[in-house]
Amino acid sequence: MMTTPHIAILDDEPEIRRILSDALEEAGFRVTAFARATEFEAALNRATPDVCLVDLGLPDRDGLAVVHRLALESGAAIIIISGRAQVQDRVTGLELGADDYIIKPFEPAEVVARIRARLRKTRSDPPRTTPQTARFAQWRAEFDRYVLIHDQGSEVPFSHAEGEVLRMFLESPNRLISRAQMQQNFGGGAGESFDRAMDVRISRLRTKLGEDPKNPRLIKTIYGAGYIFLADVTWT
């Protein structure tokens, strides 16, 4: 029996919380709303929502810091909802681990649609009974802990969003993965926003894998076609 998805809202504006709560509850979701990061994070210690909607302009905490902590410490999908419309703000949010970025003012129906897309992707993820550790090149990826471990012993954490992309590559090594396939896998809408989100996640993965950005060895860009992950992969 499928449980009702739980959506957490973190926004200090009462009207925004009301609009989102009404739309999400009408769509059949269970909703909990918070005005302050301290209350939100205390609740996360008791239970992890399926999706977190996070505003960046919070009164008691830097919203980006909240996003980064969520990405590293929880398995929840993260959608930023913010009035910050600059490209750099969106890029930073995605780099820190957000799965999506919605600019205020927004249409509640669009927020509901984006959440449903993320939940469809989550349900299509491999179950925990499948292997959670992959070996490739000089690395071991442990998806149950969201960490990359180098043969020399160093550990590099990765976010939930980065882990989705990494798993996609590791499950299809030495094969071209097109933009269209990525869009289908991640439930994103076509367009510049989705492409930029993927580019940011791949750039972050390259950095964590110690790749030369001008000449990456593992994650190769095939211009006009997509990406190829060039390594043999063993799952355990």
Side-chain angles (χ1 to χ4, degrees):
M1 181 177 180
M2 186 176 297
T3 59
T4 301
H6 179 202
I7 315 301
I9 301 167
L10 175 57
D11 196 301
D12 66 327
E13 298 182 54
E15 184 64 10
I16 295 293
R17 295 198 303 275
R18 184 192 65 78
I19 291 171
L20 286 172
S21 295
D22 289 350
L24 293 170
E25 288 173 353
E26 185 176 344
F29 297 115
R30 181 165 61 93
V31 181
T32 309
F34 304 89
R36 304 180 71 84
T38 49
E39 301 168 351
F40 172 75
E41 291 176 339
L44 286 182
N45 292 329
R46 298 189 294 270
T48 301
D50 297 285
V51 180
C52 296
L53 305 179
V54 181
D55 181 30
L56 298 183
L58 301 172
D60 61 335
R61 192 74 54 84
D62 177 12
L64 288 173
V66 173
V67 168
H68 190 45
R69 180 180 175 187
L70 271 175
L72 292 177
E73 298 181 5
S74 82
I78 307 163
I79 299 177
I80 293 173
I81 297 186
S82 175
R84 300 180 190 176
Q86 297 298 317
V87 172
Q88 187 56 49
D89 291 318
R90 300 200 299 272
V91 169
T92 301
L94 295 168
E95 284 182 337
L96 291 176
D99 296 282
D100 204 348
Y101 195 113
I102 298 174
I103 298 172
K104 298 177 181 177
F106 55 82
E107 288 293 334
E110 180 186 1
V111 178
V112 171
R114 299 272 193 107
I115 289 173
R116 283 176 171 158
R118 291 307 313 167
L119 291 172
R120 284 196 299 272
K121 172 62 187 69
T122 300
R123 290 182 186 126
S124 68
D125 281 343
R128 286 292 190 180
T129 54
T130 60
Q132 293 297 311
T133 300
R135 286 188 170 275
F136 60 95
Q138 296 177 302
W139 294 94
R140 184 170 79 251
E142 296 190 357
F143 286 91
D144 55 346
R145 296 201 300 131
Y146 290 92
V147 66
L148 287 161
I149 303 174
H150 194 270
D151 285 348
Q152 294 180 349
S154 60
E155 294 192 4
V156 182
F158 56 84
S159 70
H160 174 75
E162 293 161 356
E164 288 183 329
V165 178
L166 180 60
R167 182 181 279 277
M168 174 190 68
F169 283 133
L170 295 178
E171 290 181 340
S172 301
N174 303 303
R175 290 169 50 191
L176 176 68
I177 298 176
S178 68
R179 290 277 186 175
Q181 287 174 292
M182 295 170 74
Q183 181 186 336
Q184 183 177 9
N185 286 346
F186 300 121
E192 182 180 353
S193 178
F194 176 81
D195 289 345
R196 182 58 180 165
M198 292 299 102
D199 290 342
V200 166
R201 295 185 201 179
I202 289 168
S203 175
R204 295 281 292 180
L205 283 174
R206 282 172 169 159
T207 298
K208 292 182 178 186
L209 291 168
E211 295 266 73
D212 178 353
K214 295 182 179 179
N215 186 30
R217 297 176 301 104
L218 292 173
I219 305 175
K220 301 287 286 187
T221 301
I222 308 301
Y223 291 99
Y227 297 92
I228 294 180
F229 189 82
L230 294 176
D232 294 327
V233 180
T234 303
W235 288 89
T236 59

